[in-house]
Amino acid sequence: MPALNLIYRSGGNRVFGRACLLLLAVAIARCGGLSGQTPTNLPTPSPPPATQSTCATPAANNPVGGGGIYTQIAIDPGVYGKHDPSGLTVFGFSQEDQNLPADPQVLAMSPNIVSRAWQRWDRGGVQPSNYNFDYPVQARAAGITFIGGTTATALFRDEFPAASTFNAVVSCDATGQPVFHAPMKFYRGSLASPAYRQYIIGIGEIQIDGGVDGLFFDEPDFSYVGTTSGNGPGNGDEGFDDANIADFGGFLCGKYPNYSPADWQSKYGITTADNLNCSKSTATRGRTFNYRGYLARNGWQASPLNRSNPLAAEWGTIQEGHPEPQNGTFTGTYTSLVYWQDIVLTLRNYARQKYNKEIYITANGVFPFVDFQMIGLWGGNPDGPGGSSVNYCPLTADGHLDGTQSLLAAFMAMKHRSARIDGRVVPVAAFIDWPTDVMTDYLSLPASEKSDYWRMYVPEALAATVYLNMHLADTMGDPTATQLGLMPLFDKTAAFYKMPAHAALYHHTTDLPGRVTASVANLGTNLTQLSDGRTVAHLINHNYSHGFQEQDGVSVSFPVAKAPRSLTLVSPDYGADTPVTFTYSGGQVQVTVPKLVAYVAVVSN
């Protein structure tokens, strides 16, 4: 099969220029709304005829794709934010119901940003009256960037009471039936549906009107997951509503523009009964494809991603929160470059045109077009070598924190994955997602070891230029940071990393290939260079057993191009930044760190 090649054109800069386009090297159907037409201008999908599935919007009339075929997916430059996020170093995670008073923990700790303060759920957050808009006002007065948000795909039946409107927005299985996720008692909205996208956009507009600084979207690509068995992955039998299938037909015709009916039959077994009309003279080219009928005829309705289905590879699979537009599949391309772009662009333009304001936009995972990534830490993630799962709260056999385990490589992998998603470098933040096994394990730790978790992994993330959210509160009834006795630590940690001299160590960094060597084992180390030319050697102590095992008189060496003027030890475990004597020989700095408890940064000036 010919590959879908992504070509980046940037006018000589890693950050896209105004005229930059991200092109697919084949023709594919283009989403309506990406060239000035917002979803508010699109016609409301008609109720499905009784002879169609309960999930159907008539494919030929569905406005996704605008009824036309284009030779490229254009990335509108306006989809990118213009904020400078270099002032965001201390991230605090506190989510609560939208109508509650401000979380006093947030105001007391005063992080640079509260990264998901609100998350619309069911009908809680669909009206302006559902919100306490005094909270973002209080946050801004305290110098805190306030991020609201919404679930992007969790869909409850009472959100669209009328059957016709519900059927037009819900994600379906390959038989055309809405997929019910019994454990959470909800369905998934189809982002391919313009009506559903407009619903999500409208919730964002309400919050923008209320003064939020940005929006967080949870699970934007989960409408393809399918049902799960236990804690395992979904079966992939979801997303086969007519809106998606119409776009899939256009995608196929665009990817293989010169295929004849005979080619479609020999390659994929597609017959005239499947109604895949790729005639270039047809305005709805490909969009009448009866993919569900194709699956039924071949016995693949119960398992549409079955390897015997030759179109399964074209449809693609989803690794939740980690779309891969480079893989050239329908789901990898459209979830991120089409549907997600439409949401982001529309909301950015709404804030710009109505308020002359830039907003932050982010999502749970690694997505293009965001101002910063917000990556949930959960089991089954693909963050380890070869896509293996990383344990973000390692425990010993007896249930204590296994602080001997470094997460530095995982944090570095997050950053590298983010940098390749759309060719830009944006900040990467992480948070303990919930309800997940990582949160369960974290909450199971003894009190002192919960404190040690943050003392160890906040600086280890920062050593990789990743910002780990300190967890204050969630909506599951879990103990708050105050109830756990963590607020004194969080207040101290926030104050330390917010100091301008300290915050500057964790922005605009370049990872250096040089090796940091030390006289003791079990240290996590990374060597970075700042934009002003300074070199920083980060040391994280993983000598741990029910607490940190302090290391004294640690001899450290690392390469520096020329002899430094001075060396300074920076650590939240010290009372103050500490100048230190050193030697320089053979391109290496040698220094003795008198005390290493949890973390020390050796700053070469």
Side-chain angles (χ1 to χ4, degrees):
M1 296 181 189
L4 275 174
N5 299 313
L6 292 179
I7 303 171
Y8 294 99
R9 296 180 178 174
S10 64
N13 195 305
R14 294 192 69 182
V15 179
F16 283 179
R18 293 288 299 175
C20 174
L21 293 178
L22 175 59
L23 305 181
L24 292 178
V26 296
I28 54 182
R30 181 177 179 272
C31 174
L34 298 189
S35 60
Q37 184 187 27
T38 67
T40 55
N41 299 331
L42 296 173
T44 302
S46 303
T51 55
Q52 290 194 338
S53 74
T54 59
C55 224
T57 299
N61 298 326
N62 191 289
V64 181
I69 300 298
Y70 292 75
T71 58
Q72 62 191 29
I73 289 180
I75 305 304
D76 190 312
V79 78
Y80 299 109
K82 301 174 185 177
H83 268 304
D84 177 7
S86 61
L88 305 178
T89 307
V90 178
F91 282 64
F93 190 101
S94 169
Q95 183 182 321
E96 61 183 21
D97 292 341
Q98 295 91 337
N99 59 353
L100 292 178
D103 182 354
Q105 299 175 122
V106 171
L107 300 181
M109 176 185 164
S110 190
N112 295 125
I113 181 172
V114 54
S115 52
R116 193 173 91 175
W118 292 333
Q119 190 78 165
R120 189 276 311 173
W121 185 255
D122 198 350
R123 291 195 58 80
V126 300
Q127 299 293 334
S129 58
N130 299 148
Y131 293 88
N132 169 24
F133 287 123
D134 286 340
Y135 189 1
V137 173
Q138 291 175 273
R140 277 197 305 278
I144 303 167
T145 297
F146 186 96
I147 307 297
T150 180
T151 173
T153 54
L155 173 65
F156 291 85
R157 188 64 183 82
D158 63 348
E159 293 182 75
F160 289 84
S164 60
T165 54
F166 181 76
N167 292 341
V169 300
V170 69
S171 185
C172 297
D173 64 19
T175 70
Q177 298 299 311
V179 177
F180 184 62
H181 295 263
M184 299 297 288
K185 298 182 174 59
F186 61 45
Y187 301 84
R188 290 288 181 182
S190 170
L191 287 190
S193 163
Y196 186 73
R197 287 205 308 278
Q198 180 54 39
Y199 178 61
I200 297 302
I201 289 166
I203 291 164
E205 290 174 348
I206 288 172
Q207 295 186 33
I208 292 169
D209 290 341
V212 302
D213 298 306
L215 297 165
F216 174 105
F217 290 86
D218 200 23
E219 302 177 345
D221 56 358
F222 274 43
S223 56
Y224 302 90
V225 172
T227 55
T228 60
S229 175
N231 293 323
N235 62 8
D237 187 7
E238 194 170 11
F240 297 96
D241 50 273
D242 277 9
N244 269 294
I245 288 175
D247 282 348
F248 184 46
F251 167 85
L252 290 173
C253 291
K255 186 172 181 179
Y256 303 105
N258 298 317
Y259 271 25
S260 67
D263 292 328
W264 287 115
Q265 183 159 0
S266 64
K267 183 80 171 181
Y268 295 110
I270 296 173
T271 70
T272 55
D274 301 317
N275 205 24
L276 179 63
N277 185 352
C278 288
S279 172
K280 295 180 182 179
S281 63
T282 303
T284 57
R285 184 184 182 209
R287 301 184 59 74
T288 57
F289 182 35
N290 183 10
Y291 187 37
R292 286 194 301 270
Y294 168 91
L295 293 170
R297 189 179 73 251
N298 288 284
W300 298 318
Q301 266 191 324
S303 56
L305 299 186
N306 190 303
R307 290 185 179 180
S308 60
N309 173 14
L311 285 178
E314 299 289 355
W315 181 271
T317 57
I318 289 291
Q319 174 65 62
E320 298 95 321
H322 295 77
E324 289 287 356
Q326 293 91 340
N327 67 17
T329 66
F330 167 68
T331 53
T333 302
Y334 271 55
T335 55
S336 55
L337 299 186
V338 177
Y339 310 139
W340 175 239
Q341 183 187 176
D342 187 25
I343 292 170
V344 175
L345 178 63
T346 304
L347 286 168
R348 289 201 194 279
N349 284 341
Y350 180 82
R352 289 163 181 161
Q353 293 164 10
K354 189 170 183 179
Y355 299 105
N356 193 28
K357 176 181 178 178
E358 282 293 314
I359 58 171
Y360 289 101
I361 290 184
T362 188
N364 194 343
V366 179
F367 282 84
F369 317 133
V370 299
D371 297 280
F372 59 90
Q373 308 288 359
M374 269 283 285
I375 302 175
L377 306 183
W378 38 269
N381 60 76
D383 301 333
S388 61
S389 181
V390 173
N391 184 354
Y392 283 110
C393 186
L395 301 180
T396 61
D398 59 353
H400 287 271
L401 177 65
D402 187 0
T404 65
Q405 300 299 310
S406 171
L407 298 180
L408 184 61
F411 291 134
M412 295 286 282
M414 286 180 189
K415 185 172 65 173
H416 294 156
R417 186 165 193 162
S418 170
R420 69 174 173 79
I421 191 68
D422 65 0
R424 300 177 308 138
V425 175
V426 298
V428 176
F431 68 103
I432 298 180
D433 210 340
W434 47 269
T436 66
D437 49 357
V438 178
M439 180 60 78
T440 299
D441 291 345
Y442 164 71
L443 290 173
S444 75
L445 294 173
S448 64
E449 294 178 19
K450 288 187 185 73
S451 176
D452 290 345
Y453 181 92
W454 302 108
R455 293 178 65 196
M456 177 176 293
Y457 294 121
V458 166
E460 185 151 70
L462 287 170
T465 322
V466 171
Y467 310 97
L468 180 59
N469 282 251
M470 287 176 277
H471 189 84
L472 299 169
D474 58 43
T475 59
M476 294 297 295
D478 293 327
T480 66
T482 297
Q483 293 167 334
L484 294 173
L486 289 169
M487 284 308 296
L489 171 69
F490 286 178
D491 291 345
K492 177 184 175 182
T493 303
F496 177 84
Y497 288 110
K498 282 175 64 179
M499 291 179 61
H502 298 161
L505 303 180
Y506 311 105
H507 294 276
H508 306 299
T509 67
T510 301
D511 295 311
L512 297 176
R515 183 183 176 191
V516 179
T517 59
S519 60
V520 299
N522 301 325
L523 302 186
T525 64
N526 192 35
L527 195 65
T528 61
Q529 187 172 60
L530 308 182
S531 57
D532 60 9
R534 288 181 295 166
T535 298
V536 183
H538 302 271
L539 313 173
I540 303 94
N541 185 14
H542 288 288
N543 293 280
Y544 189 92
S545 179
H546 299 224
F548 289 100
Q549 298 176 342
E550 181 179 318
Q551 305 296 304
D552 296 331
V554 180
S555 298
V556 177
S557 65
F558 55 91
V560 178
K562 61 181 181 180
R565 296 187 301 273
S566 63
L567 239 61
T568 304
L569 305 182
V570 177
S571 172
D573 302 316
Y574 293 176
D577 296 351
T578 306
V580 63
T581 59
F582 63 94
T583 61
Y584 181 75
S585 176
Q588 294 276 326
V589 167
Q590 295 89 31
V591 62
T592 297
V593 176
K595 181 177 74 171
L596 173 58
V597 182
Y599 167 68
V600 170
V602 184
V603 182
S604 172
N605 298 292

